[in-house]
């Protein structure tokens, strides 16, 4: 087999007996004369090549081989874990991979999957999870420690969960760091992916899996000091304090950290720091109480098909928008997290109900309607609401959501006329009048006999 360096090679066969495949990236500096770290990239949406491509620049700079299995089943954890294990075996049989330096990484659901890989597959010593907390903390085995690196925005609803995870991992004495980034996007940028790989490398040096490279260590340390000083200069004292904790944990085995610990102690005594900490803790407390309310009411509303409570949800979204547009920074972050949390909660419920053998269509209809409140510019949920209401001959509800959709600027007439379960609804005068009003030229011209 000829494997090209510096290119993503996809659709590689895992073995002759199955159709399982994977993508592979070998850095340009690769040589068969030395052992290399392997970072396994996981994507649960079937876009493994795209997910792997995002790590390429960082892998090139840090000297990592990348591999991404095509996960065969979106539901079965066992099947996917078997494929992951097979790909690791395949890559390690082809290339000189360092046995102690096999890691997993992924974003969102891929990150949750990655956090299970070191627990369930022997020989994987670390997980990099972007925007997702640990998948199942109950599965963690104290006798099988692994290095966890989390990356999350403070506006991501997983941020508080990830902070809870790090406390658990600290208690178990698992090496772990959380890298925070600005904004509410999922991907933190190449610099963060490179930093994650760098942390794995520094940890490997601290554990004497590879020789200590003093110039590499010093360069990384100076970069971190620069980041720390930048955070202090813009007044983000909480982030600065958190960053010092991560620096101490990663460099503790490599150099004397007493001076940094002293700076951290002084910062924790700082009056401005204490004020900010209280404000963040107050936001966390408020967020926790609101999330409990959202979970309780969504469960109740879905179970009882409580369409009357959609007004309450509309009010809650108005309140969340007030947090987001407000002047208090920690409440702004909280608002973004709450918005993400409610959306994720609704989507989880949709997935659960839609996957049941007997689908509760009233519960599904409620959730589709709720999603039009939570994501008012997402046309998909208006269409789903129109379809499921028309299926149950509730043309009044279908008309209401059709007009709301058209008011939002929806223009795809072809999609409307091909919408599932709407054959009878589409030939009603009311449907065609609305289409004519907003899109011109309805397909059916229905004339009503006045006699």
């Amino acid at each position: 087999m000829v494997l090209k360096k510096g290119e993503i090679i996809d659709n590689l066969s895992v073995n002759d007996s199955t159709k399982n495949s994977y993508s592979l990236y070998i850095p340009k500096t690769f040589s068969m004369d030395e052992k290399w770290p392997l970072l396994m990239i996981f994507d649960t949406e079937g876009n493994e090549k795209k997910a792997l491509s995002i790590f390429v620049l960082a892998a090139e700079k840090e000297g990592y081989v990348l591999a991404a299995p095509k996960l065969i089943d979106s539901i079965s954890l066992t099947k996917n874990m078997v494929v992951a294990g097979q790909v690791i075996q395949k890559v390690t049989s082809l290339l000189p991979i360092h046995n102690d330096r096999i890691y997993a990484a992924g974003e969102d659901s891929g990150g949750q999957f990655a956090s299970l890989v070191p627990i369930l597959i022997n020989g994987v010593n670390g997980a990099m999870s972007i925007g997702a907390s640990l998948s199942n903390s109950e599965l963690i085995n104290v006798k099988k420690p692994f290095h966890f690196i989390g990356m999350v925005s403070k506006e991501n609803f997983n941020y508080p969960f990830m902070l809870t995870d790090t406390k658990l991992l600290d208690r178990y004495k698992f090496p772990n760091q959380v890298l925070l980034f600005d904004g509410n996007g999922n991907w933190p940028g190449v610099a963060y992916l490179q930093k994650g790989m760098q942390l794995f490398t520094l940890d490997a040096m601290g554990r004497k899996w590879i020789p200590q490279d003093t110039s590499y260590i010093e360069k990384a340390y100076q970069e971190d000091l620069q980041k720390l000083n930048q955070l202090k200069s813009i007044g983000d004292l909480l982030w600065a304090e958190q960053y010092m904790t991560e620096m101490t944990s990663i460099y503790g085995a490599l150099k004397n950290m007493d001076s940094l610990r002293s700076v951290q102690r002084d910062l924790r005594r700082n009056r401005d720091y204490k004020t900010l900490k209280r404000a963040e803790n107050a936001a966390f407390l408020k967020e926790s109480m609101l999330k409990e309310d959202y979970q309780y009411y969504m469960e109740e509303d879905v179970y009882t098909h409580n369409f009357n409570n959609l007004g309450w949800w509309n009010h809650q979204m108005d309140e969340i928008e007030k947090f987001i547009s407000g002047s208090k920074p920690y409440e702004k972050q909280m608002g973004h997290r709450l918005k993400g949390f409610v959306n994720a909660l609704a989507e989880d419920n949709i997935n659960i109900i839609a996957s049941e053998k007997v689908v509760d269509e009233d519960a599904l209809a409620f959730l589709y309607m709720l999603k039009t409140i939570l994501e008012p510019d997402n046309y998909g949920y208006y269409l789903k609401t129109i379809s499921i209401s028309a299926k149950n001959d509730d043309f009044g509800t279908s008309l209401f959501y059709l007009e709301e959709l058209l008011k939002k600027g929806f223009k795809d007439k072809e999609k409307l006329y091909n919408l599932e379960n709407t054959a009878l609804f589409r030939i009603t005068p009311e449907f065609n009048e609305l289409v004519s009003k907003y899109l011109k030229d309805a397909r059916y011209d229905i004339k009503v006999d006045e006699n």
Side-chain angles (χ1 to χ4, degrees):
M1 186 186 290
V2 178
L3 298 174
K4 292 182 180 177
K5 294 190 280 189
E7 286 182 24
I8 297 174
I9 312 153
D10 62 344
N11 291 320
L12 289 168
S13 176
V14 177
N15 55 50
D16 296 333
S17 61
T18 68
K19 293 180 180 178
N20 300 340
S21 65
Y22 66 102
S23 296
L24 183 70
Y25 182 82
I26 301 169
K28 292 170 187 171
T29 53
F30 179 84
S31 154
M32 291 293 283
D33 299 332
E34 56 183 294
K35 292 195 171 181
W36 295 77
L38 169 64
L39 185 65
M40 297 287 296
I41 313 296
F42 295 100
D43 180 272
T44 57
E45 307 296 322
N47 299 317
E48 72 285 344
K49 184 182 177 182
K50 183 184 174 186
L52 183 143
S53 69
I54 298 168
F55 286 81
V56 162
L57 281 175
E60 198 61 62
K61 289 176 180 175
E62 289 297 317
Y64 276 66
V65 172
L66 303 176
K70 179 174 274 301
L71 300 181
I72 55 173
D73 193 313
S74 60
I75 297 170
S76 172
L77 171 67
T78 308
K79 288 179 185 175
N80 284 334
M81 207 55 75
V82 168
V83 174
Q86 288 173 343
V87 172
I88 292 171
Q89 285 181 342
K90 182 72 175 182
V91 176
T92 52
S93 71
L94 288 173
L95 304 173
I97 299 298
H98 195 298
N99 287 336
D100 292 319
R101 302 195 62 204
I102 300 171
Y103 310 102
E107 181 260 330
D108 198 18
S109 57
Q112 287 201 312
F113 185 88
S115 73
L116 285 172
V117 173
I119 299 170
L120 300 175
I121 298 179
N122 289 328
V124 180
N125 281 321
M128 188 191 302
S129 178
I130 300 160
S133 51
L134 290 171
S135 179
N136 190 336
S137 56
E138 291 175 11
L139 291 176
I140 288 176
N141 183 348
V142 185
K143 294 176 182 176
K144 280 184 69 178
F146 64 93
H147 186 174
F148 178 78
I149 297 170
M151 296 183 195
V152 70
S153 159
K154 286 190 175 188
E155 293 182 0
N156 187 314
F157 73 91
N158 275 303
Y159 172 52
F161 297 124
M162 206 174 270
L163 294 183
T164 304
D165 287 344
T166 60
K167 287 174 185 171
L168 175 73
L169 294 170
D170 285 343
R171 199 161 72 241
Y172 288 161
K173 295 186 167 51
F174 282 30
N176 68 88
Q177 289 83 37
V178 171
L179 303 178
L180 304 177
F181 58 91
D182 284 319
N184 58 2
N186 289 334
W187 282 100
V190 173
Y192 276 81
L193 303 181
Q194 187 181 347
K195 173 56 73 176
M197 294 180 200
Q198 187 187 79
L199 292 177
F200 282 143
T201 299
L202 291 168
D203 182 63
M205 289 179 185
R207 294 174 185 280
K208 298 184 169 53
W209 290 341
I210 54 174
Q212 288 193 12
D213 181 336
T214 51
S215 62
Y216 180 92
I217 295 166
E218 195 54 36
K219 182 173 180 289
Y221 187 72
Q222 291 305 320
E223 285 170 3
D224 283 334
L225 274 184
Q226 190 178 344
K227 168 83 174 180
L228 178 59
N229 290 329
Q230 181 190 359
L231 290 171
K232 286 161 76 175
S233 68
I234 62 172
D236 200 332
L237 303 184
L238 296 192
W239 194 346
E241 192 276 334
Q242 187 268 351
Y243 205 80
M244 281 188 257
T245 299
E246 310 308 1
M247 285 178 68
T248 303
S249 73
I250 201 67
Y251 293 105
L254 300 167
K255 58 191 298 169
N256 189 311
M257 300 298 289
D258 289 347
S259 61
L260 191 71
R261 287 192 183 96
S262 176
V263 172
Q264 188 178 28
R265 275 196 301 272
D266 290 342
L267 179 60
R268 285 172 176 167
R269 295 188 189 113
N270 180 292
R271 184 179 296 172
D272 291 340
Y273 169 81
K274 288 179 177 178
T275 302
L276 293 173
K277 192 68 180 168
R278 277 196 296 272
E280 186 179 52
N281 285 341
F284 279 149
L285 181 61
K286 186 183 290 188
E287 180 178 354
S288 174
M289 291 165 70
L290 286 169
K291 284 197 297 195
E292 279 184 26
D293 279 353
Y294 299 153
Q295 278 184 298
Y296 172 78
Y297 283 109
M298 195 172 296
E299 194 176 303
E300 281 289 300
D301 292 348
V302 169
Y303 182 68
T304 60
H305 312 145
N306 190 3
F307 294 94
N308 292 330
N309 210 30
L310 287 167
W312 182 84
W313 284 105
N314 205 25
H315 174 70
Q316 295 308 309
M317 289 310 291
D318 288 342
E319 293 299 302
I320 287 174
E321 290 299 335
K322 285 179 191 172
F323 290 134
I324 291 171
S325 59
S327 58
K328 297 178 179 178
Y330 297 112
E331 288 200 352
K332 279 174 88 81
Q333 292 169 2
M334 177 190 76
H336 284 292
R337 291 196 297 266
L338 287 172
K339 197 172 186 177
F341 176 78
V342 180
N343 271 295
L345 198 59
E347 285 159 23
D348 284 348
N349 275 281
I350 288 170
N351 291 336
I352 290 165
I353 290 164
S355 65
E356 288 173 352
K357 284 182 180 176
V358 179
V359 175
D360 183 343
E361 291 194 343
D362 285 334
L364 211 50
F366 170 83
L367 287 162
Y368 290 156
M369 291 177 197
L370 176 59
K371 281 294 287 181
T372 67
I373 294 169
L374 306 182
E375 279 190 273
D377 296 322
N378 186 333
Y379 297 149
Y381 289 103
Y382 294 88
L383 293 167
K384 286 175 187 288
T385 303
I386 294 163
S387 172
I388 202 167
S389 301
K391 183 182 179 183
N392 296 318
D393 297 329
D394 183 1
F395 291 171
T397 298
S398 293
L399 276 172
F400 174 80
Y401 280 94
L402 173 61
E403 184 155 23
E404 291 298 304
L405 173 66
L406 295 170
K407 281 180 188 172
K408 289 283 176 190
F410 184 77
K411 303 286 185 194
D412 192 341
K413 196 188 298 183
E414 199 62 32
K415 201 165 194 174
L416 274 184
Y417 278 102
N418 288 302
L419 190 58
E420 192 181 16
N421 304 318
T422 61
L424 288 176
F425 176 54
R426 289 197 303 268
I427 60 171
T428 61
E430 294 86 354
F431 176 91
N432 288 279
E433 280 169 19
L434 276 180
V435 174
S436 294
K437 179 181 174 183
Y438 288 95
L439 300 181
K440 299 177 185 175
D441 301 327
R443 184 174 292 179
Y444 304 110
D445 183 14
I446 306 295
K447 289 194 168 106
V448 180
D449 185 354
E450 293 178 2
N451 297 320

